[in-house]
């Protein structure tokens, strides 16, 4: 039987301090244009935590509003507030920066993460009040260090500073004197990634209603890599996050595919469960520090707030078929092969049209398509346009070419089968998977039958190949009842064999009687 989606967690960690000091756009600007207007002005464009929480796309991401509700909000969204916005949603939460820094410190296993004593004392109770934070995690938060020690580590270049409300409150120290793979910058990025994954795991367990001990395998599909000079990106983020989240019965490994990584990992998880290798697998994707403020120059130039102030993270639990949860159909998989090419029509053909045709379906048989779900509030000012809409236009155009749609239906296709983008631009985070939680809900409520999750990636970023990448899969209503009521081919063969054996035996009996 097909594997099912047991639950999911979607979290945002509000981190303006990391954005202003560690985002790749800003760190690059400090090198190439240190006296530029952007660096002088960016501090004026930082949102408050309250504004971040009241931001419509963020409320959709954690599940307090449906994407269809966002469609009704007048664009742009940054100047519209979500009424009675809450930190917590049915899928996860938006964690304040101070609490997140303490959570990240609890993920440190090699004494490289320092926080000032007064800062820890001021905010530890706040972290303890979070319903998913365990006693074991709280016990890992150290009492803190003297500010003078932190200042010395930062000033002599041994550590990356951590800032809260423009004040130095901690640092992440390098883990090796000369190994660039263990530099302070890399250690900071990796620990923040790990911490955001842990938070998403904790919410996914709560939402699925399962024990941490039920999880047997974890797959991490983030865009970070960890290792030393001899292994570089050897891993393993999955097992590292599992340890802090208390998944004591789990092992795991990392899967990398740039922005397409989550879809690859979801297919791998579903296959492992269906094969019987593991009963419950968690797919995780943590936040990417360099992507914070990535489009900030354009936002500041146009007088907008710097909207990329959160680390995004997700966790999806894939488990054995329980007869009711939404399934992942491994018989309908799209794949961008080596020979597909990078032409947009070929890409969409391989990921959408080809798998549907093989299954005898058309785009009309899919209720919603979830491709790259980037928030247009972020991408449009930067000149990247509305990414989800661009995908829907290509899908619709291909459907017309194949005779699945009339030209008159082009305009309505995106509204009927598409979604409004609401995910943070964290690379892999927007790539199809933000809608998995909603898809599960809508399918199990009988509102939908099928949803296609589409992951796409740009492999040329690694300078190893110019190839594009992508995979897609279908989430559908549970078919276990039908499968249990039907007779499999193997069972048919056994029944025929038994009937022939009985027939032969009856002939022999008659001959013996004669």
């Amino acid at each position: 039987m097909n594997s099912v989606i047991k639950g999911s967690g979607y979290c945002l960690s509000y981190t303006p301090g990391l954005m202003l000091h560690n985002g790749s756009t800003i760190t690059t600007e400090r090198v190439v244009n240190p006296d530029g207007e952007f660096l002088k002005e960016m501090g004026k464009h930082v949102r408050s935590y309250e504004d971040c929480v009241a931001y419509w796309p963020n409320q959709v991401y954690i599940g307090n509003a449906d994407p269809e509700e966002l469609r009704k909000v007048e664009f742009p969204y940054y100047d519209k507030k979500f009424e009675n916005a809450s930190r917590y949603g049915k899928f996860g939460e938006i964690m304040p920066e101070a609490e997140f820094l303490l959570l990240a410190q609890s993920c440190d296993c090699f004494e490289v993460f320092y926080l000032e004593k007064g800062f820890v004392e001021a905010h530890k109770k706040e972290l303890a009040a979070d319903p998913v934070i365990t006693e074991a995690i709280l016990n890992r938060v150290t009492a803190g260090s003297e500010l003078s020690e932190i200042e010395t580590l930062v000033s002599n270049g041994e550590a990356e500073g951590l800032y809260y409300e423009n004040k130095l409150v901690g640092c992440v120290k390098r883990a090796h004197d000369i190994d660039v793979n263990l530099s302070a910058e890399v250690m900071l990025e990796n620990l923040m990634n790990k911490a955001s994954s842990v938070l998403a795991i904790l919410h996914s367990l709560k939402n699925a209603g399962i024990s941490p001990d039920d999880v047997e395998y974890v797959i991490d599909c983030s865009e970070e890599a960890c290792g030393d000079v001899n292994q570089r990106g050897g891993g393993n983020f999955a097992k590292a996050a599992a340890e802090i989240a208390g998944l004591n019965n789990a092992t795991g490994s990392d899967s990398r595919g740039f922005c397409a990584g989550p879809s690859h990992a979801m297919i791998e998880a579903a296959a492992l469960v269906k094969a019987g290798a593991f009963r419950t697998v968690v797919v995780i994707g943590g936040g990417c520090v360099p992507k914070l403020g990535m489009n900030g120059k354009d936002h500041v130039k146009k007088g907008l707030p710097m909207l990329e102030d959160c680390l995004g993270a997700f966790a999806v639990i894939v488990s054995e078929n329980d007869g009711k949860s939404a399934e992942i159909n491994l018989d309908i998989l799209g794949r961008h092969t080596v020979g597909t090419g990078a032409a947009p029509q070929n890409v969409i053909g391989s990921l959408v049209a080809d798998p549907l045709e093989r299954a005898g379906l058309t785009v009309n048989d899919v209720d919603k398509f979830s491709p790259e779900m980037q928030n247009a509030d972020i991408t449009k000012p930067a000149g990247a346009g509305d990414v989800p809409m661009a995908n829907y236009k290509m899908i619709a155009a291909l459907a017309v070419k194949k005779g699945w749609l009339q030209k008159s239906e082009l305009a309505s296709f995106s509204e009927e089968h598409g979604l409004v983008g609401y995910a943070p631009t964290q690379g892999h985070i927007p790539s199809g998977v933000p809608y998995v939680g909603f898809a599960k809900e809508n399918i199990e409520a009988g509102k939908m039958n099928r949803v296609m999750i589409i992951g796409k990636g740009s492999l040329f970023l690694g300078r190893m190949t110019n190839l594009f990448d992508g995979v897609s899969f279908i989430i559908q209503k549970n078919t276990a009842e039908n499968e249990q009521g039907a007779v499999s081919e193997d069972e048919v063969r056994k029944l025929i064999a038994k009937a022939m054996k009985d027939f032969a035996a009856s002939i022999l009996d008659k001959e013996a009687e004669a």
Side-chain angles (χ1 to χ4, degrees), residues 391-403 405 410 413:
N391 279 284
Y392 295 132
K393 286 180 178 179
M394 286 189 285
I395 295 171
L398 189 60
V400 170
K401 187 175 181 181
K402 287 187 171 293
L405 290 178
L410 276 171
F413 178 83

Side-chain angles (χ1 to χ4, degrees), residues 356-422:
L356 291 177
E357 280 188 310
R358 288 194 296 268
L361 304 171
T362 75
V363 295
N364 296 306
D365 296 304
V366 177
D367 295 287
K368 291 289 182 182
F369 292 88
S370 179
E372 302 156 293
M373 296 308 301
Q374 281 93 338
N375 172 8
D377 230 10
I378 296 171
T379 57
K380 273 192 170 183
D386 187 328
V387 179
M389 182 59 70
N391 279 284
Y392 295 132
K393 286 180 178 179
M394 286 189 285
I395 295 171
L398 189 60
V400 170
K401 187 175 181 181
K402 287 187 171 293
W404 294 343
L405 290 178
Q406 299 296 318
K407 284 186 177 180
S408 59
E409 297 175 289
L410 276 171
S412 61
F413 178 83
S414 63
E415 187 166 339
E416 292 177 13
H417 297 275
L419 300 161
V420 177
Y422 57 90

Side-chain angles (χ1 to χ4, degrees), residues 76-88:
Y77 313 127
Y78 70 87
D79 56 352
K80 318 291 188 309
K81 289 191 183 297
F82 188 99
E83 289 187 23
N84 301 316
S86 171
R87 161 182 175 166
Y88 296 101

Side-chain angles (χ1 to χ4, degrees), residues 175-205:
H176 194 279
D177 288 342
I178 60 172
D179 186 350
V180 295
N181 303 285
L182 297 171
S183 68
E185 177 188 357
V186 172
M187 294 305 299
L188 181 147
E189 291 176 7
N190 288 353
L191 283 166
M192 300 305 173
N193 174 284
K194 178 181 173 182
S196 58
S197 290
V198 167
L199 186 61
I201 290 173
L202 295 173
H203 277 281
S204 70
L205 293 172

Side-chain angles (χ1 to χ4, degrees), residues 238-265:
K239 203 163 187 178
E243 176 189 16
I244 307 301
L247 310 184
N248 295 320
N249 292 328
T251 184
S253 62
D254 296 348
S255 174
R256 295 291 179 263
F258 286 93
C259 299
S263 293
H264 282 292

Side-chain angles (χ1 to χ4, degrees), residues 34 50 63 94-95 133 172 183 187 210-211 227 236 280 316 370 414 426-427 497 501 505 508 512 514:
E50 290 72 24
I94 305 172
M95 180 172 271
I133 297 299
V172 177
S183 68
M187 294 305 299
I210 67 172
S211 165
N236 178 322
T280 302
V316 177
S370 179
S414 63
Q426 288 269 295
K501 185 177 180 180
L508 289 172

Side-chain angles (χ1 to χ4, degrees), residues 93-270:
E93 67 172 288
I94 305 172
M95 180 172 271
E97 186 166 33
E99 292 176 42
F100 182 71
L101 290 178
L102 265 67
L103 175 61
Q105 195 275 317
S106 77
C107 292
D108 174 28
C109 297
F110 286 89
E111 298 180 356
V112 298
F113 200 116
Y114 293 65
L115 287 175
E116 190 267 325
K117 285 182 179 179
F119 181 82
V120 174
E121 187 178 346
H123 299 289
K124 191 171 181 179
K125 286 183 180 179
E126 296 168 5
L127 180 64
D130 189 314
V132 300
I133 297 299
T134 64
E135 195 67 31
I137 289 175
L138 287 172
N139 290 338
R140 293 182 60 88
V141 179
T142 64
S145 306
E146 296 294 341
L147 182 59
S148 58
E149 182 183 3
I150 294 168
E151 289 173 334
T152 300
L153 288 169
V154 173
S155 63
N156 66 18
E158 288 185 61
E160 284 282 329
L162 296 171
Y163 299 85
Y164 177 69
E165 296 181 345
N166 298 317
K167 294 179 182 178
L168 181 69
V169 296
C171 67
V172 177
K173 196 174 69 169
R174 66 192 181 201
H176 194 279
D177 288 342
I178 60 172
D179 186 350
V180 295
N181 303 285
L182 297 171
S183 68
E185 177 188 357
V186 172
M187 294 305 299
L188 181 147
E189 291 176 7
N190 288 353
L191 283 166
M192 300 305 173
N193 174 284
K194 178 181 173 182
S196 58
S197 290
V198 167
L199 186 61
I201 290 173
L202 295 173
H203 277 281
S204 70
L205 293 172
K206 173 178 172 285
N207 296 337
I210 67 172
S211 165
D213 292 336
D214 292 335
V215 179
E216 296 181 341
Y217 203 81
V218 180
I219 302 175
D220 179 281
C221 59
S222 306
E223 292 190 318
E224 307 286 355
C226 61
D228 63 11
V229 67
N230 296 304
Q231 296 174 317
R232 297 190 183 272
N236 178 322
F237 276 102
K239 203 163 187 178
E243 176 189 16
I244 307 301
L247 310 184
N248 295 320
N249 292 328
T251 184
S253 62
D254 296 348
S255 174
R256 295 291 179 263
F258 286 93
C259 299
S263 293
H264 282 292
M266 287 293 296
I267 293 170
E268 291 163 15

